Amino acid sequence: MLIGDLKEIIDYSIESVLPENAVKSNLKKLNIKEEKLFLLSIGKAAWRMANAAKEELKGKIKNGIVITKYYHSQGNIEDIEIYEAGHPIPDENSIRATEKALELIENLNDEYGILFLISGGGSALFELPEERITLEDLQDITDQLLRSGADITEINAIRKRLSKVKGGKLAELAYPKKIYALVLSDVLGDRLDSIASGPTYKDEITTEKVLEIMKRYDIKMNENLKKALEKETPKNISNAQHIIIGSVKVACDSAINKAKELGYNTLLLTTTLNCEAKEAGKFFANIALEELKSDNPIKKPCAIIAGGETVVSVKGNGLGGRNQELAYSFALEVEGLNNIVFASIGTDGTDGPTDAAGGIVDGNTILSLRKKVIDPLVFLENNDTYNGLKEANALLKLGPTGTNVNDLMILLVGEKL
Ligand SMILES: Nc1ncnc2c1ncn2[C@@H]1O[C@H](COP(=O)(O)OP(=O)(O)OP(=O)(O)O)[C@@H](O)[C@H]1O
Ligand SMILES: O=C(O)[C@H](O)CO
Ligand SMILES: [Mg+2]
């Protein structure tokens, strides 16, 4: 049954990018030479990644620090200090925790290596401003950037220059200590210099590009900040190794494997989808209609999968998220059709400011609203797809998953024999 298979594929895919599994299955790929390790874990998945590493490496990890978002830690971890701080805007706890991390790193003797666990949200949580830049400056710039429409690579290009620990600067501060980084990517294309603003990775963005970004999004800043932007960032880091241990590509590949196992012909469309959500929904519906009519692009029964992070220009005052909007837009195009089911979910389990991960829809979704004498278009026009999907019993709720590797879209067409 299509919807059962779809839920099984989603669960399997999320499982494959959970922090614990990602850390434990990749630790052995790091060629750690040192007998003693200091653990630094930053981001929304920091506690779970640190706990997994400590379980796996036990006494090898002598001490360390976790810096995660408020309410994202789950208790003590032996030998590790736990800090919670502000996200998406850095706060005084971000600064306090980062100062503590640098102090601990500075006091490490030569026997130590550094195990660095990175997950999304790290930029706000692991932060220490450059000289003559205040926390208030950083908070204002972060707020301007988040509201500007700039993408995360552009946002982090700026943040690196205003920070003492981003854009490879942590690796320079820790030099010559060796840094072994496991990275849970929440950036499309898995750019290591953008994920959590790449504290231990060379900054591939030039001053000229940074000034261009400032101009394009009309970001207002004082003279101290402007001066900081012009200071070049490290372009050559020799003491850090990085492994991407989870990403939307890993999630998509897992979904493909499970779909194959369930008997579907499979196609991975892209892992960097980032157009307007409702247009993406329509595009998936066009593919579904083509599949029903002509078995193109692949023979039915088929599973067509994509990953990415679409965008929504929110104009209405409703409730929703990009995945809910994408799924709802798909549903509007396939009303009344059989043998089609589609889901779009945020892998962190929270799509927009809602408790839903996204939506799971088919040919009956819109029909069910019409039976309730509801005009289905209103929910899309008002960016209120949470309530539209809720009325149609098509919300997909996973709860916070503990991972954060962008969004996953899965289309199944044609019943298996
Ligand atoms: N009513 C709405 N309908 C559709 N999309 C919305 C609505 N309200 C907010 N959004 C979209 O949700 C986005 C934020 O969603 P979400 O919190 O899942 O972001 P995120 O990128 O996953 O952040 P994080 O990494 O912190 O989880 C906003 O950028 C906005 O485009
Ligand atoms: O913290 C950040 O910079 C974003 O989550 C991208 O990794
Ligand atoms: Mg999210």
Side-chain angles (χ1 to χ4, degrees), residues 331-346:
L332 286 169
E333 305 296 321
V334 300
E335 181 178 353
L337 296 176
N338 296 319
N339 294 329
I340 296 177
V341 67
F342 176 76
S344 185
I345 64 161

Side-chain angles (χ1 to χ4, degrees), residues 44 87 309 312 314 318-322 325 348 350 352-353 383 404:
K44 293 195 288 184
H87 174 275
E309 196 160 281
V312 176
V314 181
L319 185 62
R322 53 182 183 252
E325 186 129 330
D348 61 357
T350 55
N383 299 115
N404 183 21

Side-chain angles (χ1 to χ4, degrees), residues 131-143:
E131 301 305 324
R132 290 186 299 285
I133 295 177
T134 66
L135 171 59
E136 290 66 34
D137 289 335
L138 283 186
Q139 291 172 327
D140 171 56
I141 289 292
T142 304
D143 186 49

Side-chain angles (χ1 to χ4, degrees), residues 243-257:
I243 298 179
I244 299 266
I245 63 170
S247 66
V248 67
K249 172 136 184 18
V250 174
C252 288
D253 289 346
S254 302
I256 290 277
N257 294 338

Side-chain angles (χ1 to χ4, degrees), residues 159-230:
R159 292 201 279 197
K160 287 184 215 178
R161 303 240 167 178
L162 308 179
S163 171
K164 272 190 179 153
V165 292
K166 293 173 166 56
K169 297 177 206 172
L170 174 65
E172 284 195 335
L173 288 170
Y175 190 84
K177 301 262 173 318
K178 282 275 178 288
I179 297 168
Y180 305 92
L182 295 181
V183 186
L184 200 56
S185 168
D186 69 330
V187 171
L188 298 189
D190 300 340
R191 281 186 55 163
L192 285 164
D193 72 321
S194 286
I195 302 165
S197 299
T200 50
Y201 200 80
K202 63 181 179 195
D203 181 10
E204 296 172 357
I205 298 179
T206 60
T207 303
E208 187 195 353
K209 174 82 179 150
V210 164
L211 297 173
E212 202 188 283
I213 294 169
M214 294 302 298
K215 208 158 144 243
R216 184 184 313 148
Y217 297 104
D218 189 23
I219 306 295
K220 307 272 187 273
M221 52 171 54
N222 62 39
E223 282 316 306
N224 285 337
L225 292 166
K226 282 183 188 153
K227 273 209 192 65
L229 286 190
E230 283 155 20

